[in-house]
Amino acid sequence: MRARDKVAVSALRATLSALDNAEAVPVGAAELRGVALEAAPVGAGATEALRRELGEREVLAIVRAEIDERLDVAAQLTDSAHADRAARLRAEAEVLLRMVDGPDVVQAPHSAPGNSSPGAVRRVPRPADM
């Protein structure tokens, strides 16, 4: 936020929201009805809902789903009128990839073989992956 990187802030906020949503515990029908006013909880924190804790694998799966979603939507935006939106989605995916995989994520050249869309994001293999 201090660097005023709007793309990074947007990607990270959306991903944090997805993680927050995944931590929500489903509410039963009885809990939705509520209770009588005189039986209502009182005091600080009385209305706080329990949250489930996500494991590292679950967090990575959610972040990767956010990356995939951005890349899928960017690939669907083929009209030149949507080129700016597609580029922003690819840039957001790059930010998230760097968070997950580290700084070895780069933007593929336009002429890379098998590159279906200009500016597509790909992961550069680490030496241990080769």
Side-chain angles (χ1 to χ4, degrees), residues 7-8 11 13 15-16 19-20 38 41 45-46 48 63 66 68 70 79-80 86 88 94 107 111 116 120 129:
V7 172
R13 279 187 174 161
T15 303
L16 287 173
L19 290 168
D20 194 41
E38 58 275 0
E48 292 295 316
V63 174
E66 290 288 310
D68 291 342
R70 281 167 175 71
D79 188 34
S80 62
R88 183 177 175 107
E94 283 183 51
Q107 187 167 346
S111 60
S116 60
D129 295 340

Side-chain angles (χ1 to χ4, degrees), residues 10-94:
S10 174
L12 293 173
R13 279 187 174 161
T15 303
L16 287 173
S17 293
L19 290 168
D20 194 41
N21 288 341
E23 291 175 339
V25 175
V27 178
E31 294 170 356
L32 289 175
R33 282 196 307 257
V35 294
L37 184 59
E38 58 275 0
V42 179
T47 58
E48 292 295 316
L50 292 176
R51 309 290 287 174
R52 63 185 200 117
E53 290 197 27
L54 301 175
E56 186 176 342
R57 285 186 177 177
E58 292 171 306
V59 170
L60 285 174
I62 292 167
V63 174
R64 291 201 185 278
E66 290 288 310
I67 293 167
D68 291 342
E69 180 181 342
R70 281 167 175 71
L71 294 176
D72 289 345
V73 172
Q76 293 173 7
L77 296 174
T78 57
D79 188 34
S80 62
H82 300 293
D84 290 341
R85 176 74 176 134
R88 183 177 175 107
L89 288 169
R90 281 191 286 276
E92 287 182 9
E94 283 183 51

